[in-house]
């Protein structure tokens, strides 16, 4: 079988995880690169041995040699490029979030249906972590019983990346759409993807990007500008599902917290589990509570392994060996949740779903 020829659209920092993972997959050839910064596209093409580089994604999609694309661009271009790629007959792996709005999500779903046979996989990379996969097997086997409650927290004390991350027009929001999408999806996926019933959410714009802080470094986007920030600092929500389960979440780019932290847990009627910062399973036996630590290579999410698993899964889907575990429908449901939290905060009321 000929190698699958892949084009990567958007050559920013997250693209490195895609490039490295494609490079390690023997069924793939990194064929082309596209970035609005032509020099950056050329540099990435040279680094990874791509035959072509482009400044315009339309030119990359017009190349009949390209079989599939990774979309690693600003959130506000995900829908436009995904739809164009599907119509051009390409398989698509689009970074999270799927897009910026629920309306865009419906448009992408329609494009997937209209171009049957082409894979669209949403980049919910934490689904592909070993800790997630191990816990999912326990849950699917009934070891934790019915999952009725989950908690997710991803707090940065100082970590607004600025640039496009801090520009609501390009990103769609701040920590909720950037960090929250990961931990909310992780819980929702492990809970069995129940339908949302209602959302009560809050967002806060109290601290800005705190560019005045000295002596503590943090990641900054390539286009970081300390004077520009239009996204929230903090978001929290309680999400209720039709099956009676609930999820509580809080995420921040910046907060007067002691340190950065991540904590994700799910609870069932036969047992519970902490998945971050380290996988731990809690149950009971012979009237005694048992804390179990699985013996696996990484008890927390390993970014490199997670992305490799995600890319390998995408390639397997293209080869029709399996079906994606991150389909467009999941991306659409996640957009409903994220949009619902923002809407609830704006209206200062609980949002209900039909």
């Amino acid at each position: 079988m000929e190698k699958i020829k892949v084009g990567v659209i958007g050559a920013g920092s997250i693209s490195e995880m895609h490039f490295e993972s494609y490079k390690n997959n023997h069924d793939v050839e990194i064929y082309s690169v596209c970035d609005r910064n032509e020099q950056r596209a050329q540099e990435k093409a040279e680094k990874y041995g791509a035959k072509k580089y482009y400044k315009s994604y339309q030119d990359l999609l017009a190349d009949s040699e390209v079989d599939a694309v990774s979309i690693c661009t600003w959130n506000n271009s995900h829908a436009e490029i995904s739809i164009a790629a599907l119509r051009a007959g390409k398989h698509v792996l689009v970074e999270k979030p799927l897009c910026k709005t629920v309306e865009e999500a419906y448009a992408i779903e329609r494009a997937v249906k209209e171009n049957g046979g082409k894979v669209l996989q949403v980049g919910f990379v934490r689904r592909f972590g070993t800790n997630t996969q191990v816990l999912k097997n326990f849950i699917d086997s009934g070891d934790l019983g019915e999952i009725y409650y989950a908690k997710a927290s991803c707090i940065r004390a100082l970590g607004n990346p600025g640039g496009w991350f801090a520009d609501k027009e390009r990103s769609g929001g701040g920590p909720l759409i950037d960090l929250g999408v990961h931990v909310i999806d992780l819980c929702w996926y492990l809970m069995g993807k129940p339908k949302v019933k209602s959302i009560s959410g809050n967002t806060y714009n109290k601290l800005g990007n705190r560019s005045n802080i000295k002596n503590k470094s943090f990641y900054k986007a390539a286009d970081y500008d300390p004077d520009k920030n239009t996204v929230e600092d903090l978001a929290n929500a309680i999400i209720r599902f039709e099956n009676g389960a609930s999820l509580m979440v809080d995420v921040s780019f910046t907060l007067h917290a002691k340190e950065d932290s991540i904590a994700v847990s799910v609870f069932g009627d036969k047992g519970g589990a902490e998945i971050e910062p380290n996988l731990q399973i809690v149950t009971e036996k012979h009237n005694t509570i048992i804390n179990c630590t699985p013996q696996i290579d990484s008890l927390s999410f390993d970014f490199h392994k997670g992305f490799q698993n995600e890319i390998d899964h995408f390639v397997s889907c293209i080869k029709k060996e399996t079906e994606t575990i991150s389909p467009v429908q999941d991306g659409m449901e996640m957009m409903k949740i994220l949009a619902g939290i923002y809407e609830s905060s704006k209206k200062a009321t609980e949002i209900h779903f039909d």
Side-chain angles (χ1 to χ4, degrees):
M1 178 180 175
E2 289 188 6
K3 290 194 173 186
I4 297 165
K5 295 178 180 177
V6 170
V8 177
I9 302 173
S13 58
I14 198 64
S15 72
E16 278 293 310
M17 305 301 286
H18 291 249
F19 280 119
E20 288 293 330
S21 300
Y22 282 127
K23 184 182 73 173
N24 294 332
N25 189 298
H26 299 302
D27 293 322
V28 168
E29 175 187 349
I30 300 173
Y31 185 81
S32 57
V33 183
C34 173
D35 196 274
R36 294 172 64 174
N37 182 330
E38 192 170 9
Q39 180 181 348
R40 185 161 66 174
Q42 181 179 2
E43 289 171 353
K44 286 293 176 71
E46 292 173 353
K47 180 178 180 179
Y48 291 99
K51 289 184 171 65
K52 299 181 180 181
Y53 64 90
Y54 301 95
K55 187 176 181 180
S56 162
Y57 79 80
Q58 291 93 340
D59 291 340
L60 184 149
L61 295 179
D63 189 337
S64 60
E65 290 291 313
V66 176
D67 300 306
V69 296
S70 269
I71 300 173
C72 304
T73 57
W74 299 334
N75 297 346
N76 66 337
S77 63
H78 284 185
E80 173 187 321
I81 300 174
S82 294
I83 292 169
L86 289 165
R87 289 174 177 169
K90 317 299 185 188
H91 301 283
V92 176
L93 171 55
V94 55
E95 264 296 335
K96 61 78 197 169
L98 175 61
C99 48
K100 269 182 59 177
T101 68
V102 174
E103 291 74 22
E104 287 180 342
Y106 277 118
I108 297 172
E109 184 189 38
R110 286 195 299 271
V112 172
K113 291 178 179 178
E114 291 166 1
N115 296 274
K118 296 303 174 185
V119 176
L120 185 136
Q121 181 171 307
V122 187
F124 294 134
V125 68
R126 284 184 176 267
R127 295 188 181 192
F128 296 91
T130 303
N131 56 345
T132 303
Q133 294 174 337
V134 168
L135 179 55
K136 186 75 160 57
N137 286 334
F138 275 80
I139 292 172
D140 289 348
S141 298
D143 294 310
L144 272 63
E146 177 190 353
I147 306 299
Y148 59 89
Y149 180 48
K151 293 173 65 177
S153 180
C154 186
I155 299 298
R156 289 181 184 169
L158 180 71
N160 184 328
W164 75 270
F165 290 94
D167 178 2
K168 190 174 181 179
E169 177 58 34
R170 287 181 286 171
S171 65
L176 177 62
I177 205 166
D178 182 45
L179 307 175
V181 64
H182 278 306
V183 293
I184 294 172
D185 175 72
L186 182 55
C187 289
W188 182 65
Y189 176 65
L190 291 171
M191 296 172 86
K193 302 191 292 191
K195 291 194 67 174
V196 179
K197 180 179 181 181
S198 67
I199 293 174
S200 181
N202 303 281
T203 61
Y204 298 91
N205 302 69
K206 298 289 188 181
L207 304 180
N209 60 13
R210 298 177 77 190
S211 58
N212 61 297
I213 298 296
K214 299 178 181 179
N215 308 314
K216 183 174 174 61
S217 60
F218 59 96
Y219 168 75
K220 296 179 181 179
D223 57 342
Y224 180 83
D225 184 340
D227 298 322
K228 294 182 179 179
N229 180 67
T230 56
V231 298
E232 77 275 6
D233 310 326
L234 167 77
N236 61 43
I238 183 162
I239 304 161
R240 294 181 175 86
F241 300 100
E242 289 186 356
N243 66 354
S246 60
L247 164 61
M248 189 177 293
V249 60
D250 64 348
V251 291
S252 75
F253 269 170
T254 185
L255 187 68
H256 288 306
K258 178 183 175 183
E259 59 189 2
D260 293 354
S261 63
I262 182 169
V264 180
S265 300
V266 295
F267 303 92
D269 56 9
K270 291 183 180 179
E274 176 184 280
I275 189 166
E276 292 290 351
N278 292 296
L279 179 59
Q280 297 280 329
I281 296 172
V282 181
T283 185
E284 60 180 73
K285 196 161 189 171
H286 306 306
N287 303 319
T288 302
I289 295 175
I290 305 292
N291 295 346
C292 307
T293 303
Q295 294 190 29
I296 59 178
D297 289 337
S298 180
L299 289 168
S300 60
F301 179 67
D302 182 325
F303 279 89
H304 294 281
K305 180 65 173 175
F307 271 95
Q308 190 65 60
N309 289 344
E310 178 183 55
I311 294 296
D312 291 347
H313 180 71
F314 179 51
V315 172
S316 292
C317 292
I318 293 172
K319 294 168 63 181
K320 300 186 183 300
E321 295 173 346
T322 188
E323 293 187 2
T324 181
I325 64 168
S326 295
V328 65
Q329 292 82 5
D330 289 6
M332 185 169 65
E333 289 301 312
M334 195 50 47
M335 280 312 307
K336 289 180 182 178
I337 292 174
L338 297 174
I341 295 172
Y342 281 127
E343 183 182 357
S344 174
S345 176
K346 183 178 180 180
K347 294 182 177 178
T349 189
E350 189 173 45
I351 301 299
H352 295 267
F353 294 79
D354 294 331

